[in-house]
Amino acid sequence: MTSFSRRQWAPGAVGLLLAAFLVVFLVVPVVKVIFVAFQDPNTGAVTLINFVDFFNTSLFRDSFVNSLYVAGTSVIVASVIALPLAYFTTRFNFGGAVLIQTLGIIPLIMPPFVGAVAMQLLLGPNGSVNLLLDEWFGINIPFMEGLNGVVLVESVHYFPFILINLSAALNNIDQAMEESAQNLGSSGLRLFRRIVFPLAMPGYVAGASLVFLKVFDDLGTPLLLNINTMLAPQAYLRISSIGISDPMGYVISVILVAFSLFSLWVSLLTLRGKDYATVQKGGGGLRKRDLRPWEKAGCYAVVVLILLLVLSPHIGLMLLSFGTVWSYSVLPDAYTVDHYLRVFGTASQYITNTLLYAGLAGLADVILGTAIAYIVWRTGLAGRKWLDYVGMGAVAIPGVVLGIGYLRTFYDFQVPVIDKPLASWWVIIVVALAVRRLPYALRACVAALQQVSEMLEEAAENLGATKARTVWRITVPLMSGGILAGFVTSFATASVELSATIMLVSAESDAPLAYGIYEFMQSASGRGPGAALGIIAVVIVGIGTYVSHRVIERGRRERAPDVALAAGV
Amino acid sequence: MSQTQSAAQRATQSTDVTIENLSLSFGTTEVLKGIDLTIGRGEFFTFLGPSGSGKSTLLRAIAGFGPRPSGRILIGGEEVTRLPPWKRNLGMVFQSYALWPHMTVRRNVAFGLEERKLPREEIRRRVEAALELVGLLDLAERRPSQLSGGQQQRVALARTIVVEPRVLLLDEPLSNLDANLRVQMRREILDLQRKLSLTTIFVTHDQEEANTTSDRIAVLNDGVLQQVGSPVELYDRPANLFVAGFLGTANVLEGRVEAQAGRPLFRTADGIEVPLIEGPDGPCSIVFRPQNLVIVAEGGEPAGGAGAVKLSGVVRHREFLGSIIRYAVEVAGNVILVDDSHQRGQVTLDAGEPADLFFNPDEVVALAG
Ligand SMILES: Nc1ncnc2c1ncn2[C@@H]1O[C@H](COP(=O)(O)OP(=O)(O)O)[C@@H](O)[C@H]1O
Ligand SMILES: [Mg+2]
């Protein structure tokens, strides 16, 4: 329950600031993009002409079909990878939880485009695997041919979304439910069809729609694999080559947003009222059984194969970063640390920029996230829920769209003192990263705040602490684990984000890691250093994640029992 | 020496509380309805009522939490109704203690003094004195999670009294403790309260807890104040049927009072007649306690003295409760409970046996309506 409605001016002022930030840096740019898409480029009148033009151009029609095809096929391939893993880990006594947790981090800490080039070297027509297949069996499998490459890279990367949601759903099926069905004479396939399938479906659909969204919006992977006939690359290319007045980029943006919203809506719809993460409290799930030895061997074979596939971008990237020359051979000819030396010597600004941008963005996100969470859950401000909705809404905005929106909105705005358009000042990159990652941090902060019993805050107020002092001394320290988790998620994902930044980088010296990787990977000679940068990115993110994990665990151990007690009544 | 002095200081700080026509709603549900109360300086005062009766809501309104009430709350004559919690200087101990898990015991206790910006040396001294008072000085560096329930309770008390609040507010402070500890802690709280002569408002749904600690009790039901009085007053002179039933076991008979030969006579529809010492005219209920009745086998020796009322009925149940035997006796369609103190070898009546009940009219409370 919220406190007295008086003395709301302070949260009110903060709320207004937050709203202003979200409006200026999220709502206005996106609305502007949508508006331009429906505007006649010459007269400025509202029209559908741009959409007609779009669908009358065969290149765009192809791009549209290709994007749908790639996203749809990726969902299928990702499902094929995720289903056996989910099944093994939920039905058998099998080191499942650890596996899922480990795999689950992968899509977060490294964007798919980083590994794309490495995958080409491993699985491409002249890659290691095909060279071996050719030598042994005389065959060549076009893993990376055209759109196949995009599908493979994306599905290997994003299948954990399906795995996690599906496993959570399966774990959530009560053993009693299974038993009562058996008790009523249902078993085997029927049991699966009548009980397991319907109960697991929402989790699957939620994961699948997330994969669809991510793949549909992805810019970096097709760009690096040199596939331009897809929507996101087309939007980028139109804007970067023709200019920000070309309407096609905006039309594509509207289509991207529409599909993103649609997949989010599907995923929310199926997940409504089914909060697996909180319902599931150990012990649940289907009855697990031990595996017979040969079954175990089979399971492990499948799992190892999948793991190899999942880790192939990382393995390839590692080889590439340490290899001298690697083409038409199974492995690089020789190994060297030259690429790393070159990166640290000439390209270290990418690293420092990334640490700066991602650090600032992560910081901004947890401050925004904490403030929004507090206002939504602890005050009675009118319209406070909208802060939450709009902040979360950033999930539905593809990076390309936000980038285009910023270019369009802030190009005319000269920043005082430095006398540069806001759209080409490095700070705008930080803002874009912060807005894009806000949903992660916001969810983490809300979850953290909900763990803090309001009674702990009331006790402080009762002892003479004002609301502000209470937030500072009680609420924020108690949220610190969640805030840190939010920071790391924002930081880690921001430090490898490409799609919005690629549009906003106006000078090489302002560019972050992801952009550097992209630049390097453009030329054959740059692949080595590009891979080295990729590995550095993975290491930065990995260290950040590990450290925060340790810190959070320690904090939790110190005080967990009492938090539970205080929240218990 | 210094402790007695500071106790004396606190005593002068301790103050009275007046609540005038206080009402409070959550949205459209009215949870407190026109409460009027005066709590004296240094008094141990209890809000007693069943769960959901509004006790916590009332206590929290005094502390400044929850929706804004209508009416007035005065602490020592000062109106605080519009003051935020941090300006009221009232010490509240929460039901689950609300100790801050990220601070040691010492930091928990120091918190209020730090917020008052006292000199560091004074904070240290007062924190130690408070911990000493609750006997936890040697656990000062522990985290709350490393303490037992009773110890946490003491930390919560120390944290509150260290700021020398004008009033101590306790919301079911014993409900999270096991039965033995509960009795011990309730004595400790009372001792502490007496030592500091701190005006204390104690919330409980447990009548035994209320009876054993309180100077006075306010009985609440459904957001309405039922009666205020000392434990004995409430037991012996309940103002209404709710209070009669909530404090101890009561037999209730409904009927009418008519004057007969200048004396009020209570009569139920089933024909039970009870002469009253005094009573209102018209519809009325009478209340009497099981231990004030004497039960004898039918036709046995009359008991209870000359003016005793006699009712005849049949034993329906018998329960052995250790020190007493409780009979349920049906008298003209009404079940009346009778407690007979238990002696070894005593003859008991069995279910189905006819019995006579005797009681003294001056043990009867008549309630109009
Ligand atoms: N935050 C709240 N929102 C809505 N109703 C509430 C809230 N807190 C308490 N109530 C209602 O107010 C009534 C009194 O509650 P409370 O004061 O907690 O009772 P008690 O402490 O006597 O058990 C109950 O009916 C309860 O449902
Ligand atoms: Mg209560």
Side-chain angles (χ1 to χ4, degrees):
Chain A
M1 194 55 218
T2 52
S3 187
F4 294 59
S5 57
R6 60 165 184 237
R7 282 172 192 278
Q8 289 261 338
W9 65 266
V14 174
L16 277 181
L17 273 178
L18 291 169
F21 177 87
L22 290 175
V23 166
V24 171
F25 292 109
L26 179 58
V27 178
V28 167
V30 172
V31 168
K32 199 139 197 160
V33 166
I34 295 171
F35 184 67
V36 173
F38 288 99
Q39 204 177 29
D40 188 306
N42 304 314
T43 65
V46 174
T47 173
L48 281 177
I49 190 78
N50 298 326
F51 286 83
V52 175
D53 284 352
F54 176 89
F55 283 105
N56 278 336
T57 314
S58 69
L59 171 67
F60 292 137
R61 273 204 311 272
D62 291 347
S63 301
F64 181 67
V65 171
N66 285 348
S67 279
L68 280 181
Y69 166 80
V70 165
T73 318
S74 296
V75 168
I76 295 171
V77 177
S79 307
V80 170
I81 302 176
L83 284 174
L85 285 180
Y87 184 75
F88 293 163
T89 51
T90 49
R91 301 264 9 196
F92 305 131
N93 288 318
F94 192 75
V98 183
L99 182 72
I100 292 175
Q101 274 175 6
T102 318
L103 288 175
I105 302 174
I106 288 177
L108 293 178
I109 64 170
M110 195 179 92
F113 80 86
V114 175
V117 170
M119 294 259 294
Q120 212 156 24
L121 289 169
L122 284 176
L123 296 168
N126 302 312
S128 318
V129 171
N130 270 320
L131 288 180
L132 289 177
L133 287 176
D134 192 46
E135 193 182 316
W136 295 340
F137 311 108
I139 56 167
N140 196 315
I141 302 176
F143 295 111
M144 301 294 290
E145 183 85 24
L147 298 178
N148 288 357
V150 186
V151 169
L152 185 63
V153 172
E154 303 274 20
S155 38
V156 159
H157 197 81
Y158 284 122
F159 81 90
F161 285 136
I162 296 181
L163 175 60
I164 289 173
N165 281 296
L166 185 58
S167 305
L170 285 174
N171 275 327
N172 201 42
I173 299 175
D174 201 341
Q175 194 163 307
M177 233 185 268
E178 188 187 14
E179 277 163 4
S180 63
Q182 282 168 340
N183 183 250
L184 295 170
S186 185
S187 70
L189 260 184
R190 257 178 80 76
L191 175 79
F192 181 84
R193 195 161 51 81
R194 299 280 302 274
I195 307 289
V196 177
F197 184 76
L199 287 168
M201 203 55 195
Y204 171 75
V205 172
S209 47
L210 267 182
V211 173
F212 186 92
L213 176 151
K214 286 282 183 185
V215 176
F216 198 74
D217 293 346
D218 190 23
L219 171 63
T221 309
L223 272 189
L224 270 157
L225 292 175
N226 219 359
I227 306 291
N228 293 332
T229 47
M230 287 177 62
L231 287 180
Q234 278 302 318
Y236 167 66
L237 292 172
R238 293 298 283 206
I239 298 292
S240 60
S241 56
I242 300 181
I244 56 169
S245 56
D246 177 61
M248 284 307 127
Y250 298 87
V251 172
I252 296 176
S253 293
V254 168
I255 295 174
L256 290 177
V257 171
F259 274 83
S260 297
L261 284 174
F262 178 72
S263 1
L264 269 185
W265 179 71
V266 168
S267 123
L268 286 181
L269 207 65
T270 53
L271 278 183
R272 198 171 46 195
K274 302 186 181 71
D275 197 349
Y276 298 117
T278 57
V279 175
Q280 183 193 349
K281 282 211 179 86
L286 299 169
R287 194 168 43 224
K288 297 188 182 179
R289 64 178 180 83
D290 288 323
L291 289 166
R292 284 182 277 272
W294 60 271
E295 287 176 327
K296 202 166 212 161
C299 282
Y300 272 109
V302 172
V303 169
V304 165
L305 200 70
I306 291 174
L307 276 181
L308 271 182
L309 195 60
V310 170
L311 292 176
S312 62
H314 307 77
I315 298 168
L317 203 66
M318 187 66 95
L319 288 173
L320 193 54
S321 77
F322 284 108
T324 49
V325 177
W326 187 12
S327 73
Y328 290 99
S329 60
V330 175
L331 290 173
D333 298 348
Y335 297 93
T336 169
V337 292
D338 281 354
H339 301 316
Y340 286 91
L341 294 179
R342 180 166 160 208
V343 165
F344 282 116
T346 64
S348 60
Q349 89 275 9
Y350 292 135
I351 301 170
T352 48
N353 284 344
T354 293
L355 291 176
L356 177 70
Y357 298 172
L360 287 177
L363 197 65
D365 277 344
V366 291
I367 292 172
L368 292 170
T370 307
I372 293 175
Y374 188 86
I375 283 177
V376 172
W377 292 95
R378 291 289 199 268
T379 72
L381 280 188
R384 60 193 184 280
K385 292 257 184 234
W386 281 99
L387 288 175
D388 195 16
Y389 297 152
V390 175
M392 287 310 292
V395 162
I397 308 304
V400 193
V401 177
L402 199 68
I404 294 176
Y406 278 15
L407 287 179
R408 181 84 188 195
T409 313
F410 302 121
Y411 212 85
D412 300 330
F413 182 83
Q414 293 287 322
V415 183
V417 185
I418 62 156
D419 202 29
K420 231 181 164 185
L422 178 55
S424 51
W425 190 27
W426 64 269
V427 172
I428 200 70
I429 302 178
V430 175
V431 174
L433 292 177
V435 169
R436 296 255 300 144
R437 301 314 178 206
L438 181 59
Y440 299 120
L442 182 52
R443 282 278 70 80
C445 292
V446 166
L449 182 62
Q450 284 173 328
Q451 297 286 314
V452 179
S453 160
E454 266 181 78
M455 220 180 281
L456 295 174
E457 294 171 24
E458 289 178 348
E461 288 176 26
N462 177 252
L463 289 174
T466 61
K467 288 244 183 255
R469 293 283 302 165
T470 303
V471 168
W472 181 245
R473 292 198 63 187
I474 306 297
T475 318
V476 167
L478 287 174
M479 287 170 70
S480 59
I483 291 178
L484 185 62
F487 174 82
V488 169
T489 316
S490 282
F491 172 84
T493 52
S495 56
V496 286
E497 116 93 45
L498 178 68
S499 51
T501 32
I502 197 175
M503 320 213 57
L504 296 170
V505 168
S506 59
E508 192 87 342
S509 60
D510 285 344
L513 261 177
Y515 186 85
I517 296 171
Y518 172 69
E519 283 283 295
F520 273 119
M521 292 292 190
Q522 297 297 304
S523 66
S525 66
R527 283 173 174 177
L533 270 183
I535 294 291
I536 291 169
V538 172
V539 168
I540 290 175
V541 169
I543 290 175
T545 312
Y546 177 75
V547 168
S548 72
H549 179 75
R550 291 297 302 268
V551 173
I552 292 166
E553 277 305 303
R554 207 181 55 208
R556 190 169 295 157
R557 265 199 310 278
E558 259 172 14
R559 61 202 193 207
D562 194 61
V563 173
L565 182 78
V569 179
Chain B
M1 168 62 208
S2 76
Q3 209 170 66
T4 45
Q5 192 184 356
S6 80
Q9 277 167 4
R10 285 187 193 117
T12 55
Q13 250 208 342
S14 160
T15 181
D16 54 304
V17 177
T18 307
I19 292 165
E20 291 175 0
N21 194 22
L22 195 84
S23 297
L24 184 150
S25 307
F26 286 106
T28 53
T29 25
E30 195 171 36
V31 170
L32 296 177
K33 298 159 191 163
I35 309 274
D36 281 296
L37 268 181
T38 305
I39 297 162
R41 171 190 290 200
E43 197 170 17
F44 197 112
F45 194 91
T46 296
F47 296 162
L48 176 66
S51 168
S53 55
K55 310 178 296 289
S56 296
T57 307
L58 178 54
L59 194 75
R60 288 166 54 79
I62 295 172
F65 298 117
R68 176 171 327 164
S70 69
R72 304 207 309 157
I73 301 169
L74 296 105
I75 312 282
E78 177 204 4
E79 171 155 11
V80 299
T81 325
R82 276 149 199 282
L83 282 183
W86 53 89
K87 292 199 174 154
R88 295 193 184 196
N89 194 21
L90 306 173
M92 177 142 171
V93 173
F94 291 79
Q95 189 167 5
S96 48
Y97 320 139
L99 299 180
W100 301 300
H102 61 303
M103 298 181 184
T104 60
V105 167
R106 184 187 295 280
R107 304 262 349 258
N108 262 281
V109 177
F111 184 93
L113 300 176
E114 288 166 6
E115 287 303 317
R116 284 166 175 70
K117 307 227 162 37
L118 296 182
R120 190 175 308 163
E121 185 47 34
E122 184 180 352
I123 293 179
R124 200 191 55 77
R125 193 171 46 75
R126 281 171 66 174
V127 167
E128 307 228 315
L131 285 174
E132 179 99 66
L133 196 61
V134 296
L136 281 182
L137 196 48
D138 45 339
L139 299 182
E141 307 311 324
R142 293 251 186 117
R143 297 258 177 177
S145 57
Q146 297 165 312
L147 301 180
S148 70
Q151 289 167 335
Q152 294 188 15
Q153 168 75 265
R154 291 192 187 95
V155 176
L157 273 171
R159 183 177 74 176
T160 306
I161 56 176
V162 77
V163 300
E164 300 181 356
R166 295 188 286 181
V167 180
L168 182 62
L169 308 173
L170 304 161
D171 191 356
E172 310 226 11
L174 307 176
S175 60
N176 281 332
L177 303 175
D178 60 44
N180 290 333
L181 201 51
R182 204 175 297 167
V183 173
Q184 183 194 335
M185 274 313 294
R186 114 185 150 203
R187 296 210 176 104
E188 282 186 27
I189 290 175
L190 193 58
D191 283 350
L192 198 65
Q193 190 267 345
R194 295 293 187 230
K195 201 184 297 179
L196 305 176
S197 36
L198 192 54
T199 312
T200 298
I201 305 177
F202 180 90
V203 164
T204 182
H205 64 268
D206 182 323
Q207 47 144 329
E208 182 190 317
E209 234 168 72
N211 286 337
T212 49
T213 51
S214 317
D215 296 320
R216 285 194 304 149
I217 298 174
V219 180
L220 278 170
N221 185 34
D222 208 8
V224 178
L225 185 63
Q226 306 290 319
Q227 190 176 2
V228 181
S230 73
V232 173
E233 273 165 15
L234 296 185
Y235 190 84
D236 287 348
R237 302 266 152 240
N240 57 38
L241 289 178
F242 177 81
V243 176
F246 196 71
L247 283 118
T249 311
N251 290 307
V252 178
L253 294 176
E254 285 172 30
R256 297 184 60 82
V257 174
E258 282 149 19
Q260 198 172 58
R263 298 278 303 276
L265 177 71
F266 172 84
R267 182 183 283 133
T268 69
D270 319 305
I272 298 177
E273 290 189 353
V274 178
L276 301 178
I277 308 293
E278 52 182 2
D281 273 351
C284 171
S285 298
I286 60 167
V287 176
F288 47 100
R289 304 284 180 188
Q291 70 272 26
N292 295 335
L293 291 133
V294 178
I295 184 167
V296 296
E298 187 181 36
E301 190 98 334
V309 181
K310 174 178 167 188
L311 300 176
S312 297
V314 178
V315 174
R316 286 290 169 230
H317 304 286
R318 188 184 68 214
E319 288 174 342
F320 176 59
L321 300 175
S323 58
I324 58 165
I325 295 171
R326 173 162 292 176
Y327 293 97
V329 181
E330 188 178 322
V331 178
N334 301 279
V335 174
I336 292 177
L337 300 176
V338 184
D339 288 351
D340 197 11
S341 71
H342 169 67
Q343 263 91 39
R344 201 184 305 175
Q346 182 185 18
V347 184
T348 57
L349 296 169
D350 290 325
E353 282 189 54
D356 290 339
L357 308 179
F358 295 94
F359 63 99
N360 219 322
D362 58 9
E363 299 290 356
V364 174
V365 176
L367 299 169

